[in-house]
Amino acid sequence: MSRPQNYPLSISTKGTQDHYTGRWGVLKPFFDEKLSPCRHRCPGSIHIPKFMNLVQDQNLTDAWRTICEENPMPRITGRVCFHPCEEDCLRQNLDQPIAIHQVERFVGDWAFKNGLRHFEPTGDLTGPRLAVIGSGPAGIGCCYHLLRLGYQVSLFEAMPELGGLLRYGIPGYRLPKDVLSEELEMILGSWVGLHPGVKIGRDISWEEIQSDFEGIFLGPGAQQSISLGLEGEEIGGVADGLDFLKTVEANPFIRPGQRVLILGGGNTAFDVARAVLRLQGLPLILYRRSKEEMPAFEDEIMEAEEEGIEVRTLISPRGIVRDEEGLKGLTCVRNRITDLGPDGRRGFVPIEGSDHFMAGDFIVTAFGHLADAEALPSGVKVVHGSVTVTAQGAAGSGGVFAGGDVTAAPRSVIHALASGKRGALGLDAYFKHQKEVRPDKFTPLPLVKADQINLHYFSQSLRMVPERRLATERVSDFHEIQATLTPEAAAQEASRCVKCGFCNACGNCAFFCPDLAVCLDPGNQTILIDDRYCKGCCICVEECPRGVLSVEVET
């Protein structure tokens, strides 16, 4: 029997800490938070992954405050925003995009019911005195951010009640008036000097405003309607769409059974048509291009179709027909679609010999509006129907800024809110003699790409849909169509969110690291990687569900 041979065995009594395996590789992963596609597409720059994560964690107060960092009106935008944030949602690579606007609405409604306030009473504001003209979303957004910056603000509104286009241009079935009033009270409170029913140029001169205030923000909206351009439209029986919507709920003048011809393809045209339907009228939308070129939001078109609104495309009016009893209708011509134009939409040309008659008792035009140059202070330049502004929103010398529909910005509520913030930051930079406004925090962040998201960690689940009134029921009144998500549904929808580019401390990177080189810094919500031990296998990068780790080559 032979004796076993003894072989030398290497044993360390110091653990692995003395083995600096980080010297083995040249690939170095690092924490690299990125910009999510939803936040990138949001005109208001709301940190959507962050507030979604807070909703999932049931921290609704901080979720609301996260939204309000950029947008003080989540109850409003949750109802009427066309939510471009959802168009590029990377979740749709797995099943359906996140219902971001529905969760936003839930958070806004929850904050109101629980008495949250944007500002706490902190004594008198001491900054320069500023005047905001117009209480639509641009003016409200500017007021809000000026208050946050410490300025004294007075708000002037020509109409009897505050809200601008939100109150007088959006029917109650899309945005209830009480919700708007409650949201305005939360934002403005007693911190803003309110002057409803005061029109500058009629009740007070621009000279007085410029004498009493050190800076002005112009957000009056586009007030001058684009006319039909046909003979006899001034005689009667023809109304502008926004003028129609101002009075349609309180003082409707459409009688049941009247046929109303609505000219246009934007949201105003569809709002008018749906309002006429609720008054038991017979709306008919006539649009000069094809349905694909309609500027109305997709949701608005879909709901109108559900309600049975008739739409005829590729038709243009050529004349108003009247007799001794009044308006009888329009002579129209059919159009043929043409190639794409400079604006990215297809044009049209009339088909000669296609003239025909369209019967109607009333005509409503919805061609858009232009800035009313005569209602603006001197020194403000209007080009092609819009006030010209600098990148900071300055519209003239001496601290005059502008935003919203009076400028050439895209005409949506969230764009107007964003322009109000830009004006507030521009005024702040003006008073501080700064050449540039302070940059947004996320500006330097790279945009996260689809191949940086690891969808294997997510299961397919259906998008949460709130209760919605049936079309047959809702066409008989102006009550709101959709309900707000329940708390359970909102949390479920938030849990579907991938949180692209945002670290929610899931711990995957640390769990899979074979060298124990990765850990979470709970104080800063960032990932720490110890280069002394990381040998560059990059498993952490591969297993990160949200794409918040990147790799660089060490040279």
Side-chain angles (χ1 to χ4, degrees), residues 207-269:
E207 289 73 20
E208 289 176 273
I209 291 289
Q210 290 171 320
S211 172
D212 292 345
F213 297 93
E214 297 165 72
I216 300 172
F217 177 80
L218 302 172
Q223 301 291 337
Q224 192 174 56
S225 62
I226 299 174
S227 68
L228 183 56
L230 297 178
E231 185 179 352
E233 66 178 293
E234 71 285 355
I235 295 176
V238 182
D240 167 67
L242 285 184
D243 289 340
F244 179 88
L245 292 173
K246 283 178 185 174
T247 60
V248 69
E249 292 182 60
N251 299 297
F253 52 82
I254 294 297
R255 297 190 301 275
Q258 278 193 313
R259 188 166 187 81
V260 181
L261 303 179
I262 301 135
L263 304 176
N267 292 310
T268 299

Side-chain angles (χ1 to χ4, degrees), residues 427-466:
L427 281 161
D428 185 55
Y430 168 79
F431 286 110
K432 293 177 179 174
H433 306 290
Q434 298 171 341
K435 292 183 178 179
E436 302 288 339
V437 300
R438 63 178 175 84
D440 284 316
K441 290 180 292 184
F442 72 88
T443 301
L445 293 179
L447 182 65
V448 68
K449 301 173 183 174
D451 60 5
Q452 293 174 310
I453 301 298
N454 192 339
L455 290 174
H456 292 99
Y457 285 98
F458 300 90
S459 302
Q460 288 190 333
S461 60
L462 294 176
R463 172 181 164 120
M464 292 288 106
V465 178

Side-chain angles (χ1 to χ4, degrees), residues 229-487:
L230 297 178
E231 185 179 352
E233 66 178 293
E234 71 285 355
I235 295 176
V238 182
D240 167 67
L242 285 184
D243 289 340
F244 179 88
L245 292 173
K246 283 178 185 174
T247 60
V248 69
E249 292 182 60
N251 299 297
F253 52 82
I254 294 297
R255 297 190 301 275
Q258 278 193 313
R259 188 166 187 81
V260 181
L261 303 179
I262 301 135
L263 304 176
N267 292 310
T268 299
F270 280 88
D271 283 338
V272 169
R274 299 176 72 185
V276 168
L277 187 66
R278 283 157 173 77
L279 297 172
Q280 301 178 43
L282 303 173
L284 172 60
I285 294 177
L286 303 177
Y287 183 56
R288 57 188 178 175
R289 305 180 198 236
S290 66
K291 182 180 176 182
E292 289 70 28
E293 272 69 47
M294 280 186 164
F297 299 153
E298 186 177 344
D299 289 352
E300 180 103 17
I301 296 174
M302 179 197 71
E303 290 187 347
E305 289 178 338
E306 287 177 351
E307 294 170 3
I309 301 289
E310 186 179 0
V311 179
R312 297 188 188 181
T313 57
L314 295 171
I315 290 179
S316 293
R318 279 203 164 174
I320 299 172
V321 180
R322 300 177 187 273
D323 64 11
E324 61 279 3
E325 295 179 348
L327 192 144
K328 293 299 177 185
L330 287 167
T331 55
C332 298
V333 62
R334 293 190 177 86
N335 298 325
R336 176 174 55 80
I337 208 73
T338 61
D339 295 334
L340 291 175
D343 60 353
R345 296 193 300 166
R346 293 187 182 278
F348 62 94
V349 293
I351 301 173
E352 294 304 323
S354 64
D355 296 60
H356 57 286
F357 175 70
M358 302 288 291
D361 303 302
F362 202 85
I363 298 170
V364 179
T365 60
F367 298 142
H369 292 74
L370 306 174
D372 186 357
E374 295 183 358
L376 297 169
S378 60
V380 173
K381 190 175 181 182
V382 177
V383 177
H384 301 308
S386 299
V387 170
T388 59
V389 293
T390 67
Q392 297 182 9
S397 59
V400 178
F401 286 69
D405 290 357
V406 77
T407 67
R411 294 184 172 178
S412 77
V413 172
I414 189 64
H415 280 98
L417 279 165
S419 73
K421 179 186 176 183
R422 180 191 62 183
L425 296 180
L427 281 161
D428 185 55
Y430 168 79
F431 286 110
K432 293 177 179 174
H433 306 290
Q434 298 171 341
K435 292 183 178 179
E436 302 288 339
V437 300
R438 63 178 175 84
D440 284 316
K441 290 180 292 184
F442 72 88
T443 301
L445 293 179
L447 182 65
V448 68
K449 301 173 183 174
D451 60 5
Q452 293 174 310
I453 301 298
N454 192 339
L455 290 174
H456 292 99
Y457 285 98
F458 300 90
S459 302
Q460 288 190 333
S461 60
L462 294 176
R463 172 181 164 120
M464 292 288 106
V465 178
E467 291 185 7
R468 200 155 63 98
R469 300 172 69 198
L470 295 174
T472 52
E473 175 193 347
R474 67 193 191 221
V475 296
S476 60
D477 58 49
F478 284 84
H479 298 162
E480 190 168 21
I481 293 174
Q482 280 195 343
T484 301
L485 289 174
T486 64

Side-chain angles (χ1 to χ4, degrees), residues 7-18:
Y7 295 98
L9 179 63
S10 175
I11 299 176
S12 171
T13 60
K14 296 183 178 179
T16 60
Q17 291 184 345
D18 286 347

